[in-house]
Every structure is written in structure tokens, then in C-alpha cells.
């Protein structure tokens, strides 16, 4: 066997296949690939890459030799031995995943190429494309998901809850996790929206009591963060601005009796839905058809309701799309059969 050839019979059917996760480093999409890689039982090597000139100015589907069009800033070079599995997210990473698949085949081996989200190039360049159903993409090698994949599992939530619990025992119940996103291409979160969110949180807390476990994201911005911090400072709870040594996000979710999320992130809503706790969605100005379809799916499934200043109680089966997709992917990796 040559140095750049992987033995698909041994590695894919064996104890643990090798896996590369290829991204541009954006955490919101990278976490989806990591979640699937972990659910498949791999220990992935994360390749964070940057497109080089002049390719950075061209759509990735036009890159002639994708593996030479990027530089890898983390995770090592794109050189043999090729991985058994390549999982990519992002348009430029899609070209790399397809390039790895082609390179492995040219060397007589096999890399099972999975792209998460719409790749914006021919589906035939991949073994599998995994997209949320609100993207409305169909094809013979396409699997659709309810929302986004991720890393939230019952085991991870339980472990994070156990670690955080000593810090929460003195706080009154119910414990309400509040996950705040921020402005993006289609939504706006600035100080006025933060003021309204804080007002509704205070309204709801005045009725039910309890404590607020608030976490903000990089996109929240200083003005909105400080508005929330000041407006909620006299209420029991914890406020995490991401500057601490440890991220309590999973612990907040695992401990929550209910969750409030801003509407700008499919990831956050799906992570909240993985808890099985009531999910309250705070609407922001803006939106898109895809986001509207996703949030309607959440409501139709009995997972989420709009947050209007009350904490409700309802039940549903926790979302577990990542483990479901992993179960569907495993037999495909060991077979020449395609969807």
C-alpha cells in the first residue's frame, strides 16, 4: 500500500476511522462538523484554512485544484495519508472536502466526503451532503435534518450540570437559561432590543421567581451586553460574558428548567431543543424565509413558543439529530451504496 492510500476496508469498518474536520474557523458552523465527527466515534483533526490569492476572489466551485488554493493555519497540511472521513462546513471548505475525496481516489484509496449545509457546487463531488430541511435541498446523496447538528448530548449536559451544580444550589428555582446571540446578516440586536429582552425577562421572573442564567455570544456586542447586565443586575442568577476561564454554557443548558434564546441562531435554538425543556424564542428585527421556516418547524413540533414575557411549561422529545444522522451515516461509510 502506498503512503498516500488509505485502506477503506480496514479503516472504515475497523475500530476508529481517521477523520478531518475542514472549516474556515467560524465556530457556529465548525461545531456542527465536530458534533457529527464525535457522534461517529472519531477523534477528528480540525483543519482550519484560509483561501489564498487569487482564489479567494473566485467562487470555490471554480477552483481547479482545491487543495492548493488554501493555506491551513491550524491542524497541519493537506497532505497524505488521506483521512477515511472528511467533514466540511462552509463554501470554501466544501471545495477542500471534495478535493480530498478526489485525491484519495486518485491514489487508489477512499475518503468518505461529507459536507454539512448547502455546498454551492455539484452534489456529485461528495459522498453525502447533510442540510437542514428549511434549506430545501434535495438529491440522491442528501440527508435532511431538523435544524442544525451540534455537540449537545445528554451525557455532555449531565456532566456540565454536575460540574456547575455546586454554584447554583443557593439560587432560587426555577433556573432559566438565557442564550443571547447578536446581529448577523438578517437580524439586528442592539441596545433597544436588549432593553426589551431584559424587560420581558424581568416580567417573567416577577411572576415565577427563580434565577436567570444568562450567557452572551461574541456577536452580542458591548452595548447590548452592558444593557442586559445593568438591567438584570439586581435579579438572582449568573451573567456570563465569555471572559471567564470556563464557559458555563452547557452547564446552564443542562441545569435549566426552561430556556430563552434569541431568534438569530439556528444552532442556539437546536442546542436549547436538545434539553427537552421549554424553549422560548425572543424575536429580533429582520429575518429571512429560511429562518421563518425553521422557527415555524420548532413551533409545529411543540418545541418552542414566542417569548412574550412569561415562562411556560410544556413537554417534547429532546432533539437528537446529530446522533440520528450518525446512525444513518455509519452503514453508508462501509458500503459502495449511496442514498
Amino acid at each position: 500500500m502506498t503512503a498516500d492510500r488509505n485502506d477503506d476496508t480496514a479503516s472504515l469498518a475497523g475500530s476508529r476511522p481517521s477523520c478531518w474536520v475542514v472549516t474556515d474557523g467560524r465556530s457556529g458552523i465548525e461545531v456542527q462538523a465536530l458534533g457529527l465527527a464525535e457522534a461517529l466515534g472519531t477523534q477528528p483533526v480540525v483543519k482550519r484554512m484560509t483561501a489564498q490569492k487569487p482564489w479567494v476572489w473566485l467562487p470555490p466551485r471554480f477552483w481547479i485544484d482545491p487543495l492548493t488554493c488554501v493555506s491551513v493555519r491550524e491542524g497541519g497540511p493537506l497532505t497524505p495519508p488521506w483521512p477515511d472521513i472528511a467533514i466540511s462546513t462552509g463554501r470554501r471548505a466544501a471545495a477542500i472536502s471534495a478535493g480530498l475525496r478526489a485525491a484519495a481516489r486518485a491514489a487508489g484509496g477512499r475518503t468518505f466526503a461529507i459536507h454539512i449545509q448547502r455546498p454551492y457546487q455539484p452534489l456529485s463531488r461528495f459522498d453525502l451532503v447533510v442540510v437542514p430541511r428549511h434549506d430545501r435541498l434535495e438529491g440522491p446523496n442528501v440527508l435532511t435534518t431538523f435544524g442544525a447538528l451540534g455537540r449537545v448530548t445528554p451525557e455532555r449536559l449531565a456532566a456540565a450540570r454536575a460540574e456547575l451544580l455546586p454554584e447554583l444550589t443557593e439560587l432560587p428555582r426555577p433556573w432559566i437559561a438565557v442564550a443571547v446571540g447578536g446581529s448577523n446578516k438578517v437580524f439586528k440586536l442592539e441596545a433597544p432590543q436588549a432593553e426589551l429582552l431584559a424587560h420581558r425577562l424581568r416580567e417573567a421572573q416577577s411572576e415565577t421567581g427563580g434565577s436567570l442564567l444568562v450567557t452572551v455570544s461574541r456577536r452580542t456586542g458591548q452595548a447590548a451586553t452592558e444593557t442586559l447586565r445593568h438591567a438584570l443586575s439586581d435579579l438572582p442568577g449568573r451573567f456570563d460574558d465569555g471572559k471567564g476561564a470556563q464557559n458555563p454554557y452547557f452547564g446552564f443548558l443542562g441545569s435549566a428548567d426552561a430556556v430563552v434564546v434569541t431568534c438569530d441562531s439556528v444552532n442556539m435554538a437546536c442546542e436549547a431543543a436538545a434539553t427537552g425543556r421549554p424553549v422560548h424564542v425572543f424575536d429580533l428585527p429582520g429575518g429571512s424565509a429560511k429562518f421563518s421556516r425553521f422557527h415555524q418547524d420548532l413551533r409545529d413540533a411543540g418545541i418552542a413558543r414566542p417569548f412574550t414575557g412569561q415562562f411556560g411549561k410544556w413537554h417534547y422529545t429532546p432533539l437528537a439529530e446529530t446522533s440520528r444522522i450518525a446512525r444513518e451515516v455509519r452503514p453508508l461509510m462501509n458500503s459502495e451504496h449511496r442514498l
Side-chain angles (χ1 to χ4, degrees):
M1 183 173 66
T2 60
D4 58 351
R5 178 179 177 179
N6 52 353
D7 186 342
D8 54 287
T9 302
S11 56
L12 290 181
S15 58
R16 176 170 287 170
S18 59
C19 178
W20 290 359
V21 164
V22 184
T23 79
D24 59 13
R26 287 177 290 164
S27 59
I29 59 174
E30 183 176 295
V31 70
Q32 299 183 47
L34 284 172
L36 180 56
E38 291 167 354
L40 289 171
T42 73
Q43 292 181 336
V45 175
V46 181
K47 306 276 186 176
R48 298 186 178 99
M49 55 83 190
T50 301
Q52 300 187 86
K53 297 177 182 178
W55 309 107
V56 68
W57 297 309
L58 288 175
R61 66 180 181 274
F62 296 134
W63 292 357
I64 298 172
D65 185 1
L67 301 188
T68 66
C69 297
V70 299
S71 59
V72 182
R73 60 183 188 273
E74 296 178 58
L78 301 174
T79 56
W82 307 119
D84 299 312
I85 308 168
I87 306 177
S88 55
T89 54
R91 298 188 191 188
R92 291 171 179 168
I96 303 307
S97 179
L100 292 171
R101 179 176 183 259
R105 286 190 170 193
R110 181 182 175 198
T111 290
F112 192 88
I114 305 172
H115 185 72
I116 298 175
Q117 297 186 335
R118 187 185 292 267
Y120 292 96
Q121 55 181 290
L123 299 178
S124 60
R125 295 179 180 177
F126 308 90
D127 292 287
L128 195 63
V129 176
V130 181
V131 298
R133 69 187 190 189
H134 58 263
D135 269 5
R136 294 184 173 177
L137 179 66
E138 297 181 352
N141 59 336
V142 173
L143 287 178
T144 58
T145 64
F146 188 115
L149 303 184
R151 303 181 72 192
V152 176
T153 63
E155 296 77 17
R156 182 166 272 135
L157 290 177
R161 172 187 169 88
E163 184 176 351
L164 188 65
L165 195 58
E167 302 178 32
L168 303 182
T169 51
E170 300 301 318
L171 294 176
R173 303 285 292 264
W175 296 332
I176 309 299
V178 183
V180 184
S183 298
N184 56 23
K185 293 180 180 179
V186 295
F187 289 106
K188 180 174 72 172
L189 173 59
E190 296 177 348
Q193 290 78 43
E195 289 177 2
L196 178 58
L197 173 57
H199 173 72
R200 291 185 181 172
L201 288 170
R202 294 187 68 91
E203 279 187 327
Q205 195 275 342
S206 69
E207 291 186 9
T208 63
S211 307
L212 303 178
L213 310 177
V214 183
T215 179
V216 299
S217 75
R218 296 175 183 175
R219 291 186 294 106
T220 305
Q222 183 176 357
T225 296
E226 293 308 315
T227 296
L228 287 167
R229 191 199 307 272
H230 177 75
L232 303 174
S233 60
D234 61 325
L235 298 182
R238 280 191 54 181
F239 191 100
D240 180 73
D241 60 5
K243 297 179 180 179
Q246 293 186 331
N247 185 348
Y249 177 58
F250 285 155
F252 284 1
L253 289 180
S255 305
D257 296 299
V259 186
V260 176
V261 297
T262 54
C263 69
D264 55 287
S265 171
V266 173
N267 282 8
M268 284 198 317
C270 291
E271 288 163 349
T275 68
R277 305 298 188 184
V279 178
H280 306 73
V281 179
F282 178 73
D283 288 329
L284 297 171
S288 69
K290 288 199 296 185
F291 270 97
S292 295
R293 290 194 294 268
F294 167 67
H295 285 294
Q296 187 61 52
D297 284 345
L298 286 178
R299 294 190 291 269
D300 291 345
I303 294 173
R305 300 176 187 175
F307 180 51
T308 58
Q310 292 181 320
F311 297 138
K313 294 182 179 181
W314 59 90
H315 302 279
Y316 59 91
T317 301
L319 203 61
E321 287 294 87
T322 307
S323 59
R324 179 183 70 82
I325 291 297
R327 288 194 300 271
E328 296 194 34
V329 169
R330 287 190 190 99
L332 298 175
M333 292 193 304
N334 296 310
S335 172
E336 291 302 320
H337 173 69
R338 297 291 177 266
L339 296 181

